[in-house]
Amino acid sequence: MSRGLPFQVKMSIEKAIDSALLAVETYNKPATKFKSGGYIVLMTIAWTSLFHAIFFRKGIKPYYRQKNSSKFKKVDGEYWYWELQTCVDEYFKTENCAIRKNIEFFIPLRNKIEHKSFPEIDTDIFAECQSFLLNFDKILEKEFGERYCLRESLSFSLQMFPSPSNMRAAVVNSAKLKNVKDFIDTYRSAISTDILQSGEYAFKAFLIQVANHSSADAMPIQFYPFDKMSDAEKDKVQRIAALVKEKHITYSVANKGTLKPGAVVRRVQEALGNVKLTKNNKLIDKFNFDTHTRCWKKYAVRPDSKSEHPERTKAEYCIYDEPCEQYFYTEKWVELLIEKMSDETEFNSLFN
């Protein structure tokens, strides 16, 4: 495949292509719950190896140097290769293009999700994931020629219908997922509109079913890049796209946005750093159900369970559901608990 290229270039290209193909295979496995997790890790390896191949071909050694020295750093006897961000900085220099922004979106995101499972984000970042692959193929072709491209090996690069899990709903019950979602939103809001709408940053498409073609040789699916269309063609597509919009139906949901006690306990414990305490020679969570009970009593946000008036709560923190005979808590209650329980004096006062 890489015949004629220097050995290091050849090995880096092969590693890059193998990693990219494995990334697509991982994403498209039907049984995989967290598709984007493994995909991002493998595509990060693919991009890093591709950049290494480019630098080796240009006579640049992509190794970190020792401070104030011309010697290269080594780790366990091996040269310390440039990581992806260093490669991006070296390759793009001062160019602030959509491809660069797409790659840089995934570098911190990978670090946030590498050892976690957040299948809820698959749908939210699907467009960026698609461009992550298409851009890889584009740079591969630009630097080494069409014969190395992946597109001949793939039909649809990534499956077209990712999981419909509602990320925003899941965020309510997971502080760690909220941090990831906040990063995604912050990153997108910080880049220019032109880049955000570029297919090189996030690839979005819609399919229109057409009548079966009379020719047996006709391709079942044809792709027309939007930026290659004439103004008249773009206008037609935009008018069609305006018609293909998701229909939103509003349903009535009781106690929407509130939390059960277990969710409150979990959120606060995570926010406190999952600190453990020793009680009766056993390790327990610092914030647990007993702590939560002591808190709602101390701050008088709801009456005792035997009260004749269970509805008398502080509504900004807690509400009573009469049919279920249960108490539900608000985000403000979680925020208050995190603030109060971060103070050791306040925490210890619960047990005085």
Side-chain angles (χ1 to χ4, degrees):
M1 179 184 67
S2 307
R3 188 176 180 181
L5 292 172
F7 177 76
Q8 286 180 308
V9 178
K10 174 182 176 181
M11 296 303 294
S12 296
I13 290 179
E14 289 181 350
K15 180 180 178 181
I17 293 175
D18 286 347
S19 297
L21 291 173
L22 186 57
V24 176
E25 180 183 349
T26 299
Y27 195 101
N28 286 342
K29 284 185 176 179
T32 304
K33 291 184 178 180
F34 185 23
K35 297 176 178 296
S36 51
Y39 172 80
I40 292 169
V41 171
L42 288 165
M43 281 305 301
T44 297
I45 295 173
W47 269 106
T48 306
S49 298
L50 174 58
F51 282 130
H52 289 169
I54 294 169
F55 297 141
F56 278 131
R57 192 195 59 186
K58 293 181 177 180
I60 300 171
K61 294 182 178 179
Y63 311 136
Y64 290 105
R65 293 184 184 274
Q66 297 178 16
K67 189 175 182 179
N68 300 323
S69 173
S70 60
K71 294 182 178 180
F72 295 113
K73 287 184 178 181
K74 288 187 177 182
V75 178
D76 296 329
E78 300 291 335
Y79 288 120
W80 185 7
Y81 280 79
W82 287 347
E83 296 175 349
L84 184 53
Q85 184 62 64
T86 305
C87 292
V88 168
D89 293 339
E90 176 66 25
Y91 183 82
F92 291 103
K93 302 294 186 183
T94 59
E95 184 182 2
N96 197 30
C97 61
I99 293 179
R100 178 176 189 160
K101 285 299 182 183
N102 174 264
I103 299 172
E104 290 181 331
F105 170 74
F106 287 103
I107 295 173
L109 183 59
R110 175 203 168 172
N111 297 334
K112 290 179 178 294
I113 68 174
E114 187 174 7
H115 301 295
K116 304 177 184 70
S117 179
F118 294 139
E120 297 86 358
I121 75 170
D122 285 346
T123 303
D124 201 45
I125 64 172
F126 176 71
E128 280 99 344
C129 282
Q130 184 73 64
S131 289
F132 204 28
L133 176 66
L134 296 177
N135 293 339
F136 173 87
D137 211 33
K138 183 177 293 186
I139 298 297
L140 184 63
E141 179 181 11
K142 173 186 174 183
E143 297 291 344
F144 295 101
E146 187 177 359
R147 67 194 182 105
Y148 293 104
C149 289
L150 299 180
R151 56 179 174 264
E152 298 301 325
S153 305
L154 306 172
S155 49
F156 273 145
S157 301
L158 301 181
Q159 63 181 16
M160 297 302 293
F161 302 103
S163 168
S165 299
N166 190 320
M167 183 174 180
R168 295 191 182 278
V171 162
V172 173
N173 293 317
S174 173
K176 291 181 180 179
L177 180 56
K178 183 178 184 301
N179 290 336
V180 174
K181 177 59 177 170
D182 287 345
F183 161 76
I184 293 172
D185 291 341
T186 301
Y187 188 91
R188 287 171 176 166
S189 65
I191 60 181
S192 68
T193 302
D194 288 343
I195 288 179
L196 190 63
Q197 294 179 349
S198 168
E200 290 183 337
Y201 173 75
F203 180 89
K204 298 178 181 179
F206 64 91
L207 296 178
I208 300 176
Q209 184 178 4
V210 297
N212 289 336
H213 201 282
S214 57
S215 172
D217 297 327
M219 294 182 65
I221 297 174
Q222 298 184 46
F223 172 63
Y224 297 92
F226 186 78
D227 57 358
K228 300 291 179 63
M229 294 180 181
S230 66
D231 290 340
E233 289 172 331
K234 288 180 180 179
D235 182 61
K236 289 181 181 179
V237 170
Q238 288 171 337
R239 279 189 279 129
I240 294 172
L243 298 175
V244 188
K245 288 190 175 180
E246 181 181 0
K247 183 178 180 181
H248 293 278
I249 302 175
T250 302
Y251 297 96
S252 297
V253 180
N255 303 321
K256 184 177 181 180
T258 58
L259 306 169
K260 290 184 176 181
V264 173
V265 170
R266 183 168 59 253
R267 289 273 300 278
V268 177
Q269 172 65 9
E270 288 179 353
L272 296 177
N274 284 316
V275 176
K276 303 288 185 179
L277 302 176
T278 302
K279 183 177 181 180
N280 298 327
N281 296 321
K282 292 183 179 180
L283 281 178
I284 62 171
D285 290 340
K286 178 178 181 178
F287 194 86
N288 49 50
F289 281 97
D290 175 66
T291 320
H292 184 243
T293 300
R294 291 173 184 269
C295 284
W296 62 252
K297 288 182 177 180
K298 177 180 175 65
Y299 304 120
V301 301
R302 48 157 284 195
D304 188 86
S305 57
K306 296 181 181 180
S307 172
E308 294 182 358
H309 298 284
E311 74 283 356
R312 293 179 180 176
T313 65
K314 288 185 179 179
E316 63 177 320
Y317 298 129
C318 178
I319 62 172
Y320 179 69
D321 187 310
E322 185 176 10
C324 296
E325 296 184 342
Q326 289 184 0
Y327 289 96
F328 295 91
Y329 300 88
T330 66
E331 286 291 330
K332 282 191 175 182
W333 175 236
V334 174
E335 293 170 3
L336 178 68
L337 289 176
I338 293 172
E339 177 187 348
K340 296 291 187 182
M341 295 301 100
S342 296
D343 184 329
E344 285 301 314
T345 302
E346 187 72 11
F347 175 78
N348 291 331
S349 71
L350 295 173
F351 304 93
N352 294 335

